[in-house]
């Protein structure tokens, strides 16, 4: 294989094909820093990152066989964008809504917004990485920027392995044929309201922040009720959806994402890539919230059992067997089915603590960070959870009018109402 071509891993494949109906399948982080960012230094740091991890400077080519990331003469002059004086929210909205065509552009864009606050937005295409991988890029960018500012050595070029090998090694799986991915229950039994998808779609982002006091209250509530913080938030999401959508009184499912990097034994393995899986947590129809939260915890643990995880990963690996064209057709047909039936399980992605490690850009400390999930057209829908400085952010990126502004506002308000009522005691 030529050194300027990089094979896409099966999970990279999955994310690109699964999102193919939505060319704005992007992972984004909004980062606030205490002091201003030196734009020239930021540009140099981004270019250094492209040298350190060459995949960042490639375009995604599908071809007739396996898709590859191809290095070439892609224009990198527009990677970094600087916004002058203007309305801060308008600048953020404008940049968040920008798309990346990974077949023609490298899968990275950065914005610097200086208007009272110092804000940076990092945008990466989902074909390149998932949310955990994008956070690794933010850390790399901060390390390189700081090194350049302080005159310290920066990381050398690296080619970290991007594969599922460590995952299967962790579980001692040698015979993949012993597992049947078709046994994984991922059937959708409900979906969020799908509005007009034929008219022009506008990108939207709605975020609800819960103060540090909420985090402590939810932790205490979870400990008292034999559940977890993540399960409590997922239960509040599910309960609010049931209240809004009023489905038939029977058990439903919530999809959640699982970061598979915890099963890698190598520190430098599988960082900036797609290495997450999607699983279903099956929840009861109607229970008091404390019981629902406990049962949500049990359902998540059950979904994360090794057999289910392995089946989930194998379902992605099988794409390599059937080929890219067939895989693309499968997801296109599945999306047609989703639109026809309106059934597409609501999803939640909790990326956890964004300040687990202190991040600085030179002498400027990061004071806040927010995960912006990929935007979907209805009836697909994802809710994202992230935490920084003990403040929980619950966000949704979506397209209007295919997903209604009123629905998203009602959902966020409903989650807060449930948490206010249930954990206040």
């Amino acid at each position: 294989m030529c050194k300027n071509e990089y094979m896409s891993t099966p999970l990279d494949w999955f994310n690109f094909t699964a999102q193919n109906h939505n060319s704005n399948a992007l992972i984004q982080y909004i980062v606030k820093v205490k002091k201003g960012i030196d734009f020239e230094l930021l540009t140099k740091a981004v270019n250094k990152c492209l040298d350190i991890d060459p995949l960042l400077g490639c375009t995604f080519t599908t071809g007739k066989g396996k898709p590859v990331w191809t290095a070439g003469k892609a224009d990198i002059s527009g990677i970094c964008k600087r916004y002058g004086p203007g309305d801060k929210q308008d600048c953020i909205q404008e940049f968040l809504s920008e798309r990346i065509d990974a077949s023609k552009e490298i899968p990275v864009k950065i914005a610097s917004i200086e208007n009272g606050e110092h804000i940076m937005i990092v945008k990466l295409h989902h074909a390149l990485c998932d949310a955990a991988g994008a956070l690794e890029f933010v850390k790399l960018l901060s390390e390189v920027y700081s090194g350049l500012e302080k005159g310290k050595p920066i990381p050398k070029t690296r080619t970290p392995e991007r594969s599922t090998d460590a995952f299967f090694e962790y579980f001692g799986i040698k015979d993949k044929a012993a597992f049947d991915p078709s046994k994984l229950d991922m059937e959708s039994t409900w979906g969020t309201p799908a509005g007009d998808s034929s008219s022009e779609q506008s990108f939207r982002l709605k975020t609800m922040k819960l103060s540090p006091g909420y985090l402590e209250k939810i932790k205490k509530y979870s400990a008292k009720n034999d559940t977890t913080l993540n399960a409590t938030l997922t239960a509040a999401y599910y309960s609010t959806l049931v209240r809004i959508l009023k489905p038939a009184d029977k058990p439903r499912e919530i999809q959640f994402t699982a970061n598979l990097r915890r099963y890698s034994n190598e520190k430098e393995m599988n960082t900036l890539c797609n290495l997450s899986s999607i699983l279903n947590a099956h929840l009861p129809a109607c229970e008091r919230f404390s019981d629902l939260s406990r049962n949500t915890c049990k359902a998540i643990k059950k979904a994360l059992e090794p057999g289910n995880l392995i089946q989930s990963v194998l379902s992605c690996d099988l794409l390599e067997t059937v080929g890219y064209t067939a895989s693309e057709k499968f997801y296109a047909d599945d999306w047609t089915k989703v639109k026809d039936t309106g059934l597409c399980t609501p999803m939640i992605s909790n990326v956890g603590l964004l300040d687990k490690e202190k991040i600085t850009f030179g002498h400027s400390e990061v004071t806040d960070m927010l995960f912006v999930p990929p935007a979907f057209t209805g009836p697909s829908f994802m809710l994202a959870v992230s935490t920084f400085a003990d403040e929980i952010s619950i966000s949704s990126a979506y397209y209007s009018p295919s997903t209604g502004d009123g629905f998203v506002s009602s959902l966020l308000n409903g989650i807060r109402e449930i948490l206010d009522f249930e954990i206040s005691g």
Side-chain angles (χ1 to χ4, degrees), residues 168 173 175-186 279 306-318:
F168 291 114
I173 303 301
D175 181 16
K176 296 181 182 180
F179 292 84
D180 181 5
S182 67
K183 293 181 179 180
L184 189 68
D185 182 8
M186 295 297 288
L279 297 154
N308 294 326
L309 267 179
I310 293 165
Q311 287 175 327
S312 176
V313 176
L314 280 175
S315 67
C316 297
D317 273 19
L318 282 176

Side-chain angles (χ1 to χ4, degrees), residues 145-196:
Y145 181 98
S146 299
L148 290 173
E149 182 183 277
K150 299 175 182 180
K152 293 183 178 181
I154 60 175
K156 297 179 180 179
T157 299
R158 64 190 188 191
T159 52
E161 182 176 343
R162 292 171 164 93
S163 76
T164 54
D165 291 347
F167 172 84
F168 291 114
E169 183 181 340
Y170 180 91
F171 288 108
I173 303 301
K174 295 180 180 179
D175 181 16
K176 296 181 182 180
F179 292 84
D180 181 5
S182 67
K183 293 181 179 180
L184 189 68
D185 182 8
M186 295 297 288
E187 181 184 0
S188 293
T189 65
W190 63 334
T192 57
D196 182 10

